[in-house]
Amino acid sequence: MLISTKGRYALRVMLELAQGEPGECMPLPVIAQRQGISEKYLESIIAVLARAGLVEGQRGKGGGYRLSRELKDYSVGEIVRLTEGSLAPVSCLEGENTCPRADKCLSLPVWEKLDTLINDYLDSVSLADLLAEGGGNGCGI
């Protein structure tokens, strides 16, 4: 499993918005400049986040984007799965396992356990947790 730039940038955008004033909108060019992401690429990421209801957009003067929920109500897992799709470590765990060898696959339990660990961990970390740990500066994300 390798998280793409889209997934990493989505998390960075959410953290940038999380550091803004509660309820105030942050313009797209400001987010792009602060995070070093092109506006065009950022538009595609924001569109995904907005369609899913993670952020709200406001047009016009004072417009931009803001979070739609409390920081504690966003998990890293939710954000990354939204942009990445499955986080499964092997393809046979993406959706229904239709592998004809699944019933006799000796390695399947390892991959299932890893999949559970990955998802449980990412779901246990909220935006609030990352900000409390100082992870809101975009480094390493």
Side-chain angles (χ1 to χ4, degrees):
M1 172 192 67
L2 184 66
I3 306 297
S4 71
T5 55
K6 189 172 187 177
R8 294 191 320 269
Y9 288 0
L11 184 55
R12 285 172 45 186
V13 166
M14 294 296 287
L15 287 166
E16 185 67 43
L17 292 173
Q19 293 177 91
E21 292 296 320
E24 287 188 21
C25 289
M26 188 176 295
L28 193 74
V30 171
I31 300 168
Q33 188 272 327
R34 287 183 182 173
Q35 289 299 317
I37 303 171
S38 79
E39 281 187 52
K40 186 166 181 67
Y41 193 36
L42 184 56
E43 286 173 358
S44 69
I45 294 169
I46 283 283
V48 170
L49 297 172
R51 269 194 306 275
L54 273 65
V55 300
E56 299 171 337
Q58 182 176 327
R59 296 181 186 265
K61 185 175 170 118
Y65 294 90
R66 65 176 165 247
L67 299 179
S68 59
R69 307 189 305 234
E70 297 290 322
L71 297 180
K72 65 179 178 52
D73 296 331
Y74 291 97
S75 76
V76 171
E78 172 187 26
I79 297 163
V80 174
R81 273 191 301 277
L82 178 63
T83 54
E84 297 293 317
S86 171
L87 297 177
V90 291
S91 62
C92 65
L93 293 179
E94 293 177 338
E96 293 262 336
N97 187 347
T98 58
C99 176
R101 298 182 45 84
D103 61 336
K104 54 187 171 262
C105 180
L106 297 177
S107 62
L108 184 58
V110 170
W111 305 128
E112 290 173 330
K113 176 77 174 186
L114 180 59
D115 186 50
T116 299
L117 289 169
I118 290 167
N119 283 287
D120 287 352
Y121 173 69
L122 293 177
D123 288 339
S124 76
V125 180
S126 71
L127 290 183
D129 296 332
L130 289 176
L131 290 180
E133 294 171 10
N137 63 8
C139 297
I141 297 175

